[in-house]
Amino acid sequence: DKAASLGKVLRLTLDGQPAPGNPLTAQGFRPEVWSYGHRNLLGIAFDAQGNLWEQEMGPKGGDELNLILPGRNYGWPNASNGSHYDGRDIPDHRAGDGYEAPRVWWNPVISPGGLMIYSGRLFRQWRGDAFIGGLSSQALVRVNLDGLTATKGDQWSMGARIRDVAEAPDGAIWVIEDGKDGSQGRLLKLTPRT
C-alpha cells in the first residue's frame, strides 16, 4: 500500500518532514518512504561507514538482517525465507526475483529484540559487528559485518529472553532481559574475562 507507512523505512528531516530526495515519491509512495516490503521492523542502526542495517521478525521462520538501500523492495509478503503461521508456503528470496534479499536470515528463528552495532574498545575483535537480542532463542546473537556483507557469528545462550542490547560508555555490552510473568527483567553488563 503506497499510501501507508506500515512495513516501510521512513527518511525524515530533523523537524519530522519527508526528507528531500526520497526515492519512491515519483512512484506514488508517501514522500517519506525510503524502502518497503518489510514485515516487522524491530531494530535499526548505522555502522561506522554510514550503512543502515535493520532487523525484522519473520513469520514462521525467516527472521532477517537487512542492509537498507534506497528505493528497494524487501519482498514482504511476496518473498520470505519463512512460511505463514498456518503452514502455507511463501516463496524464498531468490536471485533475480526483484526483491532485496536479507544479508542474514534465521530459520529456526531467533525472534530479534534490539539491534546494536558495536564500536567500543573492550571487545576489539567485534568492532563494527552487529549484536541482536534474541527473544524466543533466549540468546545474544552476533553478526559479522564487513562493508556491505554480513555473516552469522556467535549465538550465546542467555537463559532468558533478551529484549534489547546496547553499548555502555566504557565499551561493555548491556543486555536487558524480559522479566518472567511481566515482572522486571535483569540488566546485565558483559565485559571481557580478565
Side-chain angles (χ1 to χ4, degrees), residues 36-37 73-81 84 89-94 97 99:
Y36 64 107
N73 180 348
Y74 287 78
W76 182 257
N78 299 323
S80 171
N81 293 9
H84 291 289
D89 185 49
I90 303 170
D92 286 349
H93 287 273
R94 66 184 194 293
D97 66 3
Y99 302 116

XYZ file of all heavy atoms in Angstrom, residues 36-37 73-81 84 89-94 97 99:
170
model
N 10.669 -0.377 1.260
C 9.394 -1.006 1.623
C 9.504 -2.529 1.518
O 10.558 -3.066 1.181
C 8.255 -0.466 0.759
C 8.350 -0.763 -0.724
C 7.515 -1.698 -1.322
C 9.260 -0.091 -1.533
C 7.591 -1.960 -2.683
C 9.342 -0.350 -2.894
C 8.506 -1.284 -3.464
O 8.585 -1.551 -4.804
N 8.409 -3.218 1.830
C 8.409 -4.671 1.799
C 9.003 -5.284 3.051
O 9.522 -6.394 3.026
N 12.676 -2.849 -2.571
C 11.554 -3.632 -2.054
C 12.137 -4.905 -1.435
O 12.786 -5.692 -2.120
C 10.585 -3.977 -3.186
C 9.399 -4.795 -2.729
O 9.346 -5.313 -1.619
N 8.418 -4.919 -3.604
N 11.895 -5.102 -0.137
C 12.471 -6.235 0.592
C 11.583 -7.474 0.587
O 11.923 -8.468 1.212
C 12.868 -5.787 1.996
C 14.106 -4.920 1.909
C 14.016 -3.591 1.507
C 15.355 -5.450 2.141
C 15.149 -2.809 1.352
C 16.500 -4.689 1.994
C 16.391 -3.363 1.596
O 17.519 -2.598 1.427
N 10.459 -7.429 -0.148
C 9.749 -8.635 -0.501
C 8.480 -8.993 0.240
O 7.662 -9.740 -0.277
N 8.312 -8.516 1.474
C 7.133 -8.936 2.226
C 5.872 -8.381 1.583
O 5.850 -7.199 1.245
C 7.226 -8.494 3.691
C 6.046 -8.959 4.485
C 4.974 -8.201 4.871
C 5.773 -10.280 4.935
N 4.071 -8.976 5.531
C 4.535 -10.270 5.576
C 6.453 -11.494 4.827
C 3.970 -11.400 6.128
C 5.890 -12.612 5.382
C 4.653 -12.553 6.031
N 4.831 -9.152 1.387
C 4.591 -10.550 1.763
C 4.832 -11.547 0.628
O 4.429 -12.700 0.744
C 3.120 -10.533 2.154
C 2.503 -9.569 1.186
C 3.569 -8.508 0.961
N 5.503 -11.116 -0.444
C 5.662 -11.992 -1.610
C 6.880 -12.898 -1.545
O 6.929 -13.901 -2.256
C 5.740 -11.143 -2.882
C 4.476 -10.328 -3.078
O 3.392 -10.792 -2.779
N 4.632 -9.119 -3.557
N 7.872 -12.537 -0.742
C 9.080 -13.354 -0.605
C 9.537 -13.309 0.840
O 9.540 -12.247 1.462
C 10.183 -12.843 -1.524
N 9.889 -14.458 1.364
C 10.373 -14.575 2.742
C 11.043 -15.941 2.875
O 10.638 -16.892 2.210
C 9.213 -14.477 3.742
O 9.637 -14.793 5.047
N 12.024 -16.030 3.725
C 12.655 -17.328 3.963
C 11.946 -18.063 5.091
O 12.540 -18.870 5.786
C 14.143 -17.163 4.240
C 14.885 -16.680 3.006
O 14.275 -16.321 2.012
N 16.181 -16.673 3.053
N 3.958 -18.965 6.260
C 2.846 -18.433 7.026
C 2.639 -19.300 8.271
O 2.966 -20.494 8.278
C 1.561 -18.413 6.182
C 1.594 -17.420 5.074
N 1.532 -16.067 5.265
C 1.701 -17.607 3.731
C 1.573 -15.447 4.103
N 1.683 -16.355 3.160
N 3.111 -21.945 2.195
C 4.441 -21.543 1.768
C 4.464 -20.077 1.337
O 3.478 -19.548 0.809
C 4.895 -22.431 0.605
C 6.319 -22.142 0.196
O 7.187 -22.097 1.091
O 6.570 -21.952 -1.005
N 5.578 -19.429 1.576
C 5.901 -18.123 0.997
C 7.156 -18.370 0.174
O 8.109 -18.968 0.679
C 6.191 -17.069 2.083
C 5.015 -16.920 3.052
C 6.526 -15.723 1.439
C 5.328 -16.085 4.284
N 7.198 -17.979 -1.089
C 8.404 -18.229 -1.873
C 9.638 -17.613 -1.213
O 9.598 -16.482 -0.719
C 8.108 -17.543 -3.219
C 6.613 -17.503 -3.297
C 6.146 -17.319 -1.879
N 10.734 -18.380 -1.177
C 12.003 -17.872 -0.655
C 12.536 -16.783 -1.570
O 12.217 -16.731 -2.767
C 13.036 -18.994 -0.583
C 12.780 -19.974 0.549
O 11.928 -19.696 1.414
O 13.440 -21.023 0.559
N 13.388 -15.912 -1.008
C 14.124 -14.957 -1.830
C 15.020 -15.746 -2.785
O 15.608 -16.758 -2.410
C 15.004 -14.064 -0.942
C 14.239 -13.058 -0.162
N 13.912 -11.828 -0.671
C 13.736 -13.098 1.088
C 13.240 -11.143 0.248
N 13.125 -11.893 1.318
N 15.097 -15.278 -4.026
C 15.994 -15.909 -4.988
C 16.534 -14.833 -5.930
O 15.896 -13.799 -6.145
C 15.295 -17.026 -5.756
C 14.181 -16.580 -6.651
C 13.462 -17.763 -7.319
N 12.638 -17.330 -8.404
C 11.528 -16.584 -8.295
N 11.110 -16.189 -7.118
N 10.840 -16.239 -9.370
N 14.553 -12.129 -8.484
C 13.105 -12.060 -8.239
C 12.587 -10.633 -8.064
O 11.394 -10.422 -7.885
C 12.696 -12.935 -7.042
C 13.266 -12.456 -5.710
O 13.941 -11.408 -5.662
O 13.024 -13.154 -4.696
N 13.368 -8.584 -5.586
C 13.341 -8.203 -4.174
C 14.759 -8.210 -3.611
O 15.597 -9.015 -4.013
C 12.466 -9.163 -3.367
C 11.046 -9.241 -3.862
C 10.543 -10.423 -4.373
C 10.216 -8.124 -3.820
C 9.236 -10.502 -4.834
C 8.910 -8.194 -4.278
C 8.428 -9.377 -4.783
O 7.135 -9.443 -5.244
